[in-house]
Amino acid sequence: MGQRVGIEVSIALADAVKLANVDVIAAYPITPQTHIVEHLAELVAEGELDAEYIPVESEHSAMSACLGSSAAGARTFTATAGQGLELMHEVLYVASGMRLPMVMAVANRALSAPLSVWGDHSDAMAVRDTGWIQIFTENGQEVVDQTICAFKITEHHKVLLPVMVHLDGFNLSHVIEPIEMPDEKDVCEFLPFNRSPLTLHPLRPVAMGDFAPPVVFTEAKWAQEQAMLNVKDTILEIWEEFAQKFGRSYKPVECYKCEGAKTLLFTMGSFSETAMTAVDKLRDAGVNVGLIRLRLWRPFPFEEFRAAMKGVETLLVLDRAISSGGPGGPVASEIKAALYNEVEKPRIVSFIGGLGGRDITVTAFEKIIVDGIELAASGSGREYEMVGVRE
Amino acid sequence: MAKPENELTWKDIETGAAVTEPGSAAGYRTGDWRSQRPDYDFSRCLKCGICFVFCPEGCIRQNQRGFYEADLYYCKGCGICAYECPTRVIKMRDEEEK
């Protein structure tokens, strides 16, 4: 078994990347991701990790360097946040379109303006259609475990799609938590290096990222989409294998006190643990409420999500991003879309809160649940409710 | 890919749409959006090849008589050859002109 240590989550993530024995790291430091790449740079400089650390001049270059190293067959890692992820945006499509395996840690941060470096899901939502697998983590242990799983997922021959591991900026990236770091030997066994079937090599010439005229582009995109549709089964297998080896099991949709609950609160990321405390308190007070949280955001686990919605009357969705001028929260609108054709579906109340690092406390969660149940019964007519905004 | 492009299904597409066989983009006729084309007066041509050197499309070939001439399937009508020609052999004419 691994060793239980008290460690900052960013440092633990960097150590997990070291355990995965990466070959190339190309990254540009940006708050709140800085500690991750700083620690990796130290590990490489001190000779503890035999990898190439490429200090690039921007995130656009970081992702471009990662494309090259992944195409050459190297195990590749990068990390970014907020504006940095947006600067990478166009290259993200290239990475997924070229089916290049790589892992990126995203310390979620708000997008300017006004300038904010604090936690928010706006950056993750802005890149949700880029063809990357997106996993949202809740605590430090999960960050470490999912980072290790991410390398196995991305390199699986049925997947070959890049993976983002999301951790909330500051709320998760900068906290010190007790984490069980897996043994190097176990990680080595779990993560044998799977070379991509198609890599650049002088003896086997191949052209990657070619020009596709209208006559083949649709077919190429459909081939990529088929891979994405198959991803969930592979992820489930890998999570099961992880559970066998390390004893911690993960599911795409996780339920907390959902049995018989008429009202469910829906969250993603580090808010879920605070929300659990609020659910506990309200359950004690006799309110029939549970918590559902999504770990796998792309591909969206439709089956598991719909199964969890059986018998639920009210769903209160908390978004940490705004779909400006649209239906309110991007997560809530996808959930509405996922349930629209169902015969029995819950009433959905969309909340937006926790923007730009604003804390949502246990008390605030209790208010969200109480207000949400009332709004679902009466209906405010608004598309969404803003949590804790001063009028 | 033995099949012609318009018969390829998504299952025929290599992972990541990579191309594993040799080839070039020569099959794509890139001259069809041209608005001007080069017109030659070979009586003044020195066969110096300056137009060949300067053509950014690489579409100029020597014809059977040794004169340099643009392949109109690939010529985009930029007019650089006409500008560089020392003896003014080449005039750019509108596509509609005979």
Side-chain angles (χ1 to χ4, degrees):
Chain A
M1 284 309 280
Q3 202 185 356
R4 194 169 146 93
V5 288
I7 191 170
E8 185 188 318
V9 173
S10 289
I11 308 295
L13 197 160
D15 283 341
V17 173
K18 180 194 152 195
L19 287 175
N21 197 14
V22 295
D23 300 312
V24 176
I25 303 149
Y28 189 87
I30 179 169
T31 306
Q33 156 265 36
T34 318
H35 290 186
I36 301 170
V37 290
E38 264 178 4
H39 189 59
L40 279 167
E42 276 169 22
L43 290 173
V44 173
E46 287 163 8
E48 284 187 46
L49 171 60
D50 182 18
E52 200 67 43
Y53 185 92
I54 310 176
V56 282
E57 84 284 7
S58 77
E59 284 82 357
H60 191 278
S61 315
M63 186 42 60
S64 305
C66 287
L67 289 189
S69 83
S70 180
R75 185 173 275 180
T76 304
F77 177 81
T78 185
T80 191
Q83 311 292 131
L85 188 58
E86 296 316 300
L87 189 52
M88 284 180 178
H89 197 118
E90 56 154 338
V91 200
L92 298 179
Y93 284 92
V94 185
S96 60
M98 285 165 71
R99 307 282 302 280
L100 295 175
M102 66 179 81
V103 175
M104 169 153 68
V106 181
N108 291 118
R109 157 182 163 176
L111 296 175
S112 299
L115 182 63
S116 167
V117 296
W118 291 274
D120 188 312
H121 290 168
S122 304
D123 53 354
M125 293 302 146
V127 297
R128 63 185 165 162
D129 297 333
T130 52
W132 282 58
I133 296 162
Q134 290 180 286
I135 299 168
F136 274 81
T137 56
E138 175 181 291
N139 54 40
Q141 187 65 60
E142 200 173 315
V143 169
V144 169
D145 294 351
Q146 289 306 327
T147 303
I148 290 166
C149 287
F151 282 102
K152 199 170 172 81
I153 294 167
T154 191
E155 285 169 11
H156 194 281
H157 69 278
K158 278 189 196 163
V159 179
L160 295 173
L161 286 165
V163 180
M164 281 181 210
V165 178
H166 291 279
L167 62 157
D168 285 351
F170 294 114
N171 296 26
L172 194 47
S173 67
H174 283 56
V175 296
I176 293 173
E177 289 195 2
I179 295 171
E180 194 181 296
M181 290 304 287
D183 274 341
E184 200 172 344
K185 190 174 118 306
D186 291 343
V187 178
C188 276
E189 282 169 15
F190 180 70
L191 264 185
F193 186 54
N194 283 327
R195 189 173 286 280
S196 173
L198 213 58
T199 50
L200 298 174
H201 193 281
L203 298 180
R204 298 181 303 275
V206 54
M208 290 184 177
D210 299 275
F211 170 74
V215 70
V216 290
F217 189 83
T218 313
E219 281 69 22
K221 276 290 149 190
W222 188 240
Q224 185 188 336
E225 186 59 9
Q226 289 301 314
M228 194 55 148
L229 294 175
N230 292 328
V231 159
K232 201 186 73 195
D233 293 338
T234 313
I235 293 178
L236 293 179
E237 278 168 32
I238 289 170
W239 282 348
E240 179 57 36
E241 199 183 325
F242 186 88
Q244 299 286 329
K245 195 153 190 70
F246 298 93
R248 288 182 291 274
S249 68
Y250 292 102
K251 288 194 275 268
V253 174
E254 217 131 281
C255 296
Y256 178 73
K257 298 201 172 172
C258 288
E259 309 78 34
K262 297 286 178 218
T263 304
L264 288 187
L265 181 63
F266 181 103
T267 55
M268 272 162 73
S270 64
F271 266 157
S272 313
E273 294 206 331
T274 323
M276 279 176 195
T277 316
V279 167
D280 286 344
K281 285 177 83 174
L282 285 171
R283 274 261 171 171
D284 290 344
V287 182
N288 195 4
V289 65
L291 174 80
I292 178 167
R293 79 179 200 85
L294 202 66
R295 179 173 286 122
L296 189 61
W297 170 239
R298 278 291 182 276
F300 193 92
F302 288 101
E303 278 170 48
E304 286 84 352
F305 177 71
R306 286 183 188 133
M309 284 301 113
K310 291 274 178 292
V312 175
E313 287 173 6
T314 311
L315 185 64
L316 317 171
V317 185
L318 179 68
D319 262 282
R320 286 194 88 177
I322 301 182
S323 169
S324 191
V331 178
S333 66
E334 293 216 359
I335 284 170
K336 285 175 189 169
L339 295 172
Y340 185 78
N341 284 337
E342 299 294 289
V343 181
E344 282 180 29
K345 46 183 174 263
R347 286 163 302 181
I348 293 170
V349 187
S350 164
F351 287 94
I352 295 178
L355 299 181
R358 174 76 64 92
D359 263 348
I360 296 202
T361 57
V362 176
T363 326
F365 266 116
E366 286 178 69
K367 189 168 168 1
I368 288 172
I369 296 168
V370 173
D371 288 358
I373 293 170
E374 201 176 300
L375 281 167
S378 59
S380 71
R382 286 191 292 272
E383 297 298 330
Y384 60 92
E385 306 292 327
M386 204 71 179
V387 178
V389 66
R390 293 182 293 275
E391 292 287 347
Chain B
M1 286 190 277
K3 289 181 186 175
E5 266 177 2
N6 56 2
E7 288 174 19
L8 287 174
T9 70
W10 69 266
K11 286 174 189 159
D12 301 320
I13 304 280
E14 198 72 57
T15 305
V19 176
T20 52
E21 60 184 29
S24 76
Y28 304 121
R29 292 177 174 179
T30 48
D32 50 5
W33 61 71
R34 184 177 57 238
S35 62
Q36 288 198 313
R37 74 185 132 84
D39 190 30
Y40 297 87
D41 173 10
F42 288 128
S43 66
R44 294 155 66 165
C45 181
L46 305 171
K47 301 182 180 174
C48 65
I50 283 181
C51 58
F52 171 84
V53 171
F54 278 91
C55 175
E57 291 297 316
C59 71
I60 292 174
R61 327 246 183 272
Q62 265 187 301
N63 66 18
Q64 285 180 332
R65 289 188 294 154
F67 294 118
Y68 287 93
E69 204 174 356
D71 182 339
L72 293 180
Y73 279 136
Y74 304 110
C75 170
K76 292 195 175 78
C78 66
I80 291 174
C81 54
Y83 181 84
E84 297 293 345
C85 177
T87 54
R88 303 274 170 259
V89 168
I90 308 164
K91 292 263 179 320
M92 296 306 288
R93 298 214 185 281
D94 284 344
E95 270 297 306
E96 307 88 85
E97 268 183 67
K98 286 275 159 64

